[in-house]
Amino acid sequence: MLFYLLRRVLYAIPIALAVGFVCFMLVQIAPGDPINAIVPPDAPADVVEQVRRDYGLDKPLAIQFVLWLGKVVQGDLGRSLATGRPVWADLRSAIGNTLMLAAFASGLGFLMGVVLGGLAGTFRGSIIDRAAVTTAVAGVSVPHYWLGMVLVVIFSVQLNVLPAMGAGPGGSDDWAWNWEHMKHLVLPAITLAVIPMGIVTRTVRGIVAEIMNQEFVTALRGKGLGGWGVFIHVVKNAAPNVLAVMGLQLGYLMGGSILVETVFSWPGTGLLLNSAIFQRDLPVLQGTILVLAMFFVMLNLFVDLIQTGLDPRIKRG
């Protein structure tokens, strides 16, 4: 098991380097000049060139990448071109807010997905199955941003029972675990939870239905094992595959919340990315994308190890 763990960690290193290179190049080849975010349009040419040299943007891309990677390894993501603040100072708070939102959304989505999928797989072909499948398809089909705006119109504008934006009366810096702050999580969490709910529902339904049709389940029932005992065996067999899907969905929630956070003005990485895109702030873009991508890589590694521990059929040598 230890050898398997070391091997998986070693496999993650070249993946991390490739992710870093892709993050760097995708931002670099995007149209526009990042200098425009620092100097005014009528700035003299010598001032523009001096600023370009100060930020190292006059060097070839290969050298820029090596210098950038060396700083990243040391924990330095650079400084924002727009504000001059260290990227990590803004990113640290944004990551915490996105993690909190993703945790609530994933908890809600996974719970509903497991319940609906388990019921649909157990009672396949019934009205419960059809209702669960319809709910799952609707959840996967509805765009995030559209659902968010609809929820704002209904619960914020019409009913005036939930706030439409922000992270609380004092913002994310003064966050407190009380209803005045937590109610700002309700609408964005529901919006984010819909798609993973649909995906998990369909996944769990297929896995449970397949397991219920296997011979060992019939044998367990033939030996007189009750419904709860059969349920435990079904859960043990379904857990590895369902866990893998949940891990992927949690990673998607971290990286794919830019539209939802923009709709609700939630101060997370999505809103930070949106602002950096419009300001052409390369350090913020690179740092945010890199951190989210690395989180996804590490999450996949963690889920892979958990799945290996749960499923004895996977080789660990």
Side-chain angles (χ1 to χ4, degrees), residues 82-104:
T83 64
R85 288 167 48 86
V87 172
W88 182 246
D90 296 329
L91 190 56
R92 180 173 50 205
S93 175
I95 289 176
N97 294 330
T98 297
L99 272 173
M100 180 167 55
L101 177 59
F104 275 85

Side-chain angles (χ1 to χ4, degrees), residues 26-267:
L26 283 178
V27 176
Q28 290 290 337
I29 63 178
D33 191 348
I35 295 299
N36 295 334
I38 310 173
V39 298
D42 57 348
D46 57 336
V47 174
V48 174
E49 290 302 320
Q50 181 61 43
V51 173
R52 194 182 300 275
R53 285 193 297 270
D54 292 341
Y55 281 90
L57 299 176
D58 60 325
K59 298 180 175 60
L61 283 180
I63 297 178
Q64 289 187 43
F65 173 69
V66 172
L67 295 176
W68 174 76
L69 186 61
K71 292 181 179 179
V72 167
V73 172
Q74 300 174 20
D76 181 9
L77 297 177
R79 289 183 172 272
S80 169
L81 299 181
T83 64
R85 288 167 48 86
V87 172
W88 182 246
D90 296 329
L91 190 56
R92 180 173 50 205
S93 175
I95 289 176
N97 294 330
T98 297
L99 272 173
M100 180 167 55
L101 177 59
F104 275 85
S106 60
L108 178 62
F110 295 166
L111 177 62
M112 293 181 61
V114 169
V115 172
L116 291 176
L119 291 174
T122 303
F123 304 101
R124 191 169 185 179
S126 66
I127 188 172
I128 297 177
D129 181 21
R130 291 194 291 272
V133 170
T134 301
T135 304
V137 172
V140 174
S141 305
V142 172
H144 272 160
Y145 60 90
W146 180 84
L147 177 61
M149 290 185 289
V150 170
L151 292 178
V152 167
V153 171
I154 295 175
F155 293 99
S156 299
V157 179
Q158 299 294 334
L159 301 178
N160 194 27
V161 293
L162 290 172
M165 60 182 62
S172 60
D173 294 334
D174 297 325
W175 177 266
W177 293 101
N178 53 41
W179 176 240
E180 288 300 317
H181 286 83
M182 292 183 64
K183 65 182 180 181
H184 287 77
L185 272 171
V186 176
L187 294 184
I190 292 175
T191 305
L192 269 181
V194 168
I195 289 182
M197 179 271 296
I199 295 175
V200 172
T201 297
R202 297 170 66 179
T203 302
V204 172
R205 175 187 179 272
I207 294 174
V208 170
E210 180 182 357
I211 294 174
M212 294 293 289
N213 289 329
Q214 292 183 5
E215 294 181 355
F216 82 92
V217 175
T218 305
L220 291 174
R221 288 174 174 168
K223 291 180 178 180
L225 193 64
W228 180 253
V230 173
F231 172 77
I232 295 297
H233 283 276
V234 171
V235 169
K236 288 181 179 179
N237 283 270
N241 292 329
V242 174
L243 180 64
V245 174
M246 289 182 175
L248 290 174
Q249 291 305 308
L250 179 58
Y252 292 146
L253 287 179
M254 282 293 298
S257 60
I258 179 171
L259 293 177
V260 174
E261 291 187 0
T262 301
V263 169
F264 293 99
S265 295
W266 182 260

Side-chain angles (χ1 to χ4, degrees), residues 277-317:
I277 289 171
F278 283 102
Q279 293 178 334
R280 195 68 169 86
D281 198 338
L282 288 186
V284 175
L285 278 172
Q286 290 171 338
T288 306
I289 294 174
L290 178 65
V291 170
L292 291 177
M294 291 307 302
F295 175 84
F296 196 84
V297 171
M298 299 307 297
L299 181 63
N300 280 330
L301 176 61
F302 177 74
V303 171
D304 188 27
L305 295 175
I306 295 291
Q307 187 180 23
T308 303
L310 292 176
D311 194 343
R313 295 168 296 183
I314 299 178
K315 293 183 178 180
R316 302 179 178 85

